[in-house]
Amino acid sequence: MATIRCTTAQAIVRYLSNQFTEVDGKRVPLFPGVYGIFGHGNVTCLGEALEAAQDVLPTWRGQNEQSMAFAAVGFAKAMVRRQIMVVTASIGPGTTNLLTAAGVAHTSRLPLLMICGDSFARRHPDPVMQQVEHFNDPTQTVNDAFKAVSRYWDRITYPEQILSSLPQAVATLLDPGDCGPAFIGVCQDVQEMAWDYPEEFFTPRLHLMPRPRPDRQLLARAVACLKQAKRPLIISGGGVRYSQAEAELAQFAQAHGIPVVETIAGKGAFTHDDPIHCGPIGILGSTSANALAAEADVVIAVGTRLMDFVTGSWTVFDRNAQFIALNAARFDAHKHFAIPLECDAREGITELDTALGDWKATDSWLEKGRREFAKWNELIAARQERTVAEGDPTYAQVIGVVNAAAAAEDYIISAAGGLPGELVKGWRVKNPGTFDCEFGFSCMGYELSAGWGVAMAEQDRDVFVMIGDGTYMMMNSDIYSSVLSGHKFILLVCDNGGYAVINRLQNAKGGASFNNLLKDCRVQEPFHVDFVAHAQSMGALARKVSSLDELEEAISWAKGNDRTTVISIATHPFDWTPGDAWWDVGVPEVSARDSVNKAREEHVKGRLAQRVGI
């Protein structure tokens, strides 16, 4: 057997460099690059190997490990899981900084490969710097924390272990039903060790995405169920986008007269004005989608894990509604006693379409959806109207201006705070695949870093990132990263004086405003950060605006700029677009505050409407 002698670190880099996939019919690297911050746990061996391979596997340096991994997740989403970025960190705090981003990738079923240092396998120098010690288990390190947020986890203690570990990690990253983050910890001394690796291990390999098809018996059961339906409803989730099944689902829904509503992750599979589109569903959703859900007798859930913000904590559906779940993940397909079709969304829709033949729901049902959606559109239009009033503009108005200025191919990103609700409700998608609201983990800080990652996807479009002032303060260093690397995005900072949306929830459940808005915190004197000066200090272009007309002008200016541009605008902290879905959160059973006791009483009544597990 022909062999190549190299270190474990060199072998890892060489293997990754020889993995390929297809994007739009073109052969491209499966791993197009690495985000890396080096420390003593990865610089001397893995760093040396990456330096030698930088022409085929470029390394990009971030400012924070967590934000680098957010960028990798944003990149994977923009590439609909067809290409995957690698992230490397040192040991100890450098590695644990990745935990939050791994949680995002795990929750949202997105591929992320993390390769990090670990303690010495031989233990001769123990304890080393940044090594936590478990007195009862010397094999345990901080890397074990990643078991809770990884789909695949391994620790390399012998050079030859990567022969089986790396292919299994890649298989996990590409598995449509088990997709998520893969973590590999490589002991520092093992990184340096040389071994005679089989030459075949480094043979270039082309990976094609598997598309599992539904079981025939269960498909027949789903068809029989649908043919008895009077008011069927399709919920389009993120899996529709990852399967690239938008056209097939639209054709299916149109042919069979079934209205389609979207989840948060699924928003963007259809243009806003598609004739079968009836709006987003759930707590961040529309009155139109929720009205249809309340009457639907059969619900076809395609590529969604049915989180509480989609289901209104399981209050938006009729208790007797039957679910049919098309999902590549077995776990998701079996929720709420659904007829489980474990399959790729595109393949499942196509086979269901064929099996249904010319069956069609009554025309009046889809027409009802269109009437309800028209009323919802009127409400949003009124909310976004540029009225002349005292006070700061609302989120809805700001979004209306940005949406109107964005080109059809431009990309919008949000994740936490008040903007996800306002964007899911009010953003009119002009082109499929241009909307990213990371609400599975709803992670503050994802947005700005993801903007850097999405800009790296090298698609000819502007990337808009919308965040609040609280998120900006939490994580902003990738403004600097994007300027350094030349990957431009446009950042809109809506400054409402703190964590306004959580203050809203606090008040809604009877609580006093406390520790959310700056004015309600333990501070000497609340003041607003000069986001323009701060962004400019990191090399970005920046401008503060005070009106919607100025905002419109600033967006035009930003689109013409050659680098990341930041626009700051003060926004109203209390004026929100209404929603009608209920959300189950903890409300104190006993309180000294009458408003909390009243909220508790109302909340208990709300729980009576929940569909419990079936």
Side-chain angles (χ1 to χ4, degrees):
M1 181 187 297
T3 60
I4 296 175
R5 186 165 182 80
C6 57
T7 69
T8 306
Q10 291 162 354
I12 290 171
V13 170
R14 189 165 187 160
Y15 175 85
L16 296 177
S17 301
N18 280 291
Q19 308 309 304
F20 296 89
T21 187
E22 285 188 357
V23 174
D24 300 329
K26 294 176 59 178
R27 179 185 174 103
V28 297
L30 179 61
F31 301 103
V34 178
Y35 293 109
I37 291 179
F38 293 140
H40 70 277
N42 65 345
V43 67
T44 56
C45 294
L46 190 58
E48 185 266 351
L50 287 169
E51 188 278 334
Q54 60 183 300
D55 290 342
V56 293
L57 187 63
T59 299
W60 303 93
R61 203 207 76 170
Q63 318 309 315
N64 178 287
E65 291 89 354
Q66 178 175 307
S67 70
M68 289 192 313
F70 283 155
V73 174
F75 178 91
K77 186 178 286 190
M79 295 303 299
V80 285
R81 304 197 303 199
R82 295 173 296 175
Q83 284 184 292
I84 304 159
M85 293 294 280
V86 183
V87 177
T88 181
S90 181
I91 63 169
T95 295
T96 55
N97 278 347
L98 297 175
L99 275 166
T100 301
V104 171
H106 192 283
T107 303
S108 297
R109 318 289 205 258
L110 289 164
L112 167 66
L113 177 58
M114 297 167 284
I115 300 179
C116 301
D118 210 322
S119 61
F120 279 71
R122 290 176 295 194
R123 303 186 193 168
H124 291 172
D126 285 8
V128 298
M129 182 176 64
Q130 298 181 335
Q131 178 184 347
V132 300
E133 293 181 274
H134 293 267
F135 302 157
N136 66 325
D137 185 359
T139 68
Q140 192 171 0
T141 75
V142 295
N143 288 355
D144 288 82
F146 285 86
K147 292 177 179 178
V149 287
S150 297
R151 293 287 183 184
Y152 181 84
W153 185 97
D154 198 4
R155 173 179 288 122
I156 306 302
T157 57
Y158 285 90
E160 58 266 42
Q161 288 174 342
I162 67 170
L163 292 174
S164 59
S165 186
L166 287 177
Q168 289 293 346
V170 170
T172 300
L173 295 167
L174 297 178
D175 188 327
D178 200 34
C179 183
F183 180 90
I184 298 178
V186 190
C187 293
Q188 294 173 72
D189 48 346
V190 177
Q191 290 183 41
E192 73 186 43
M193 295 177 185
W195 199 71
D196 295 318
Y197 289 93
E199 192 176 84
E200 187 178 352
F201 182 60
F202 305 116
T203 300
R205 285 177 170 79
L206 179 66
H207 299 271
L208 301 177
M209 306 302 172
R211 290 187 177 274
R213 299 165 76 171
D215 175 80
R216 291 180 181 177
Q217 296 179 83
L218 291 171
L219 181 67
R221 188 185 301 177
V223 168
C225 176
L226 258 178
K227 285 186 173 180
Q228 295 179 12
K230 304 297 183 185
R231 298 173 301 281
L233 180 67
I234 296 171
I235 302 178
S236 174
V240 173
R241 295 178 62 186
Y242 300 139
S243 174
Q244 297 181 283
E246 296 94 336
E248 286 77 10
L249 183 56
Q251 187 277 328
F252 173 83
Q254 190 71 55
H256 301 290
I258 307 176
V260 177
V261 298
E262 292 180 308
T263 70
I264 301 164
K267 183 178 172 75
F270 300 97
T271 60
H272 183 81
D273 296 324
D274 191 296
I276 52 87
H277 176 231
C278 295
I281 188 173
I283 295 166
L284 301 189
S286 58
T287 54
S288 52
N290 292 335
L292 294 176
E295 293 187 35
D297 54 359
V298 175
V299 178
I300 310 170
V302 188
T304 172
R305 62 194 187 97
L306 296 171
M307 67 172 283
D308 63 343
F309 263 72
V310 169
T311 67
S313 299
W314 288 103
T315 61
V316 301
F317 303 107
D318 185 279
R319 289 180 183 273
N320 297 315
Q322 171 66 56
F323 278 75
I324 299 170
L326 283 76
N327 207 296
R330 175 197 56 78
F331 190 87
D332 294 323
H334 285 263
K335 290 175 179 173
H336 277 248
F337 285 81
I339 298 174
L341 302 182
E342 296 177 44
C343 59
D344 168 75
R346 193 175 76 186
E347 295 300 316
I349 292 163
T350 300
E351 295 205 7
L352 189 59
D353 182 34
T354 300
L356 276 172
D358 59 1
W359 175 86
K360 190 175 182 180
T362 57
D363 292 339
S364 60
W365 175 237
L366 182 55
E367 285 304 316
K368 175 183 173 65
R370 288 169 176 162
R371 289 195 304 273
E372 294 288 346
F373 194 40
K375 289 190 288 185
W376 173 252
N377 284 328
E378 290 174 4
L379 185 153
I380 293 300
R383 290 284 306 162
Q384 294 182 349
E385 187 176 347
R386 296 196 200 184
T387 55
V388 179
E390 293 184 5
D392 296 324
T394 66
Y395 269 180
Q397 290 173 320
V398 170
I399 287 167
V401 171
V402 179
N403 200 174
E409 66 275 7
D410 290 348
Y411 198 93
I412 182 74
I413 301 172
S414 69
L419 280 161
E422 297 291 325
L423 280 163
V424 171
K425 292 174 182 177
W427 187 270
R428 293 171 172 83
V429 173
K430 303 173 186 178
N431 205 40
T434 57
F435 189 91
D436 174 5
C437 180
E438 198 305 290
F439 214 70
F441 217 49
S442 185
C443 192
M444 292 179 71
Y446 165 84
E447 306 96 321
L448 196 152
S449 303
W452 182 33
V454 172
M456 278 192 175
E458 296 183 354
Q459 298 177 10
D460 188 18
R461 59 188 177 189
D462 280 312
V463 177
F464 286 92
V465 177
M466 295 192 71
I467 62 173
D469 52 302
T471 295
Y472 185 101
M473 294 302 296
M474 186 168 287
M475 188 164 291
N476 54 58
S477 61
D478 281 334
I479 292 174
Y480 182 53
S481 302
S482 70
V483 174
L484 284 173
S485 66
H487 296 101
K488 173 198 168 184
F489 59 85
I490 300 171
L491 177 65
L492 282 297
V493 183
C494 295
D495 185 355
N496 57 18
Y499 303 141
V501 76
I502 294 302
N503 179 76
R504 175 196 184 191
L505 175 62
Q506 192 173 47
N507 294 163
K509 297 305 176 183
S513 293
F514 172 65
N515 202 49
N516 285 311
L517 296 178
L518 291 173
K519 67 182 184 64
D520 302 318
C521 297
R522 193 180 294 275
V523 297
Q524 290 185 347
E525 184 68 35
F527 67 92
H528 291 247
V529 171
D530 187 341
F531 297 111
V532 169
H534 187 267
Q536 287 173 335
S537 74
M538 290 189 284
L541 300 174
R543 181 183 293 184
K544 183 176 181 178
V545 300
S546 57
S547 70
L548 296 174
D549 288 341
E550 288 183 7
L551 175 61
E552 184 177 46
E553 182 182 327
I555 292 171
S556 178
W557 165 72
K559 287 178 74 68
N561 291 338
D562 64 352
R563 73 186 75 171
T564 291
T565 301
V566 177
I567 302 170
S568 172
I569 183 169
T571 48
H572 202 294
F574 302 113
D575 195 332
W576 308 94
T577 300
D580 65 344
W582 182 82
W583 187 26
D584 199 353
V585 294
V587 181
E589 193 168 355
V590 177
S591 174
R593 188 179 293 275
D594 289 342
S595 55
V596 173
N597 291 327
K598 183 178 179 181
R600 168 70 186 187
E601 183 179 335
E602 291 299 315
H603 200 77
V604 170
K605 291 179 183 177
R607 284 177 174 162
L608 297 176
Q610 284 180 298
R611 174 188 171 109
V612 185
I614 57 173

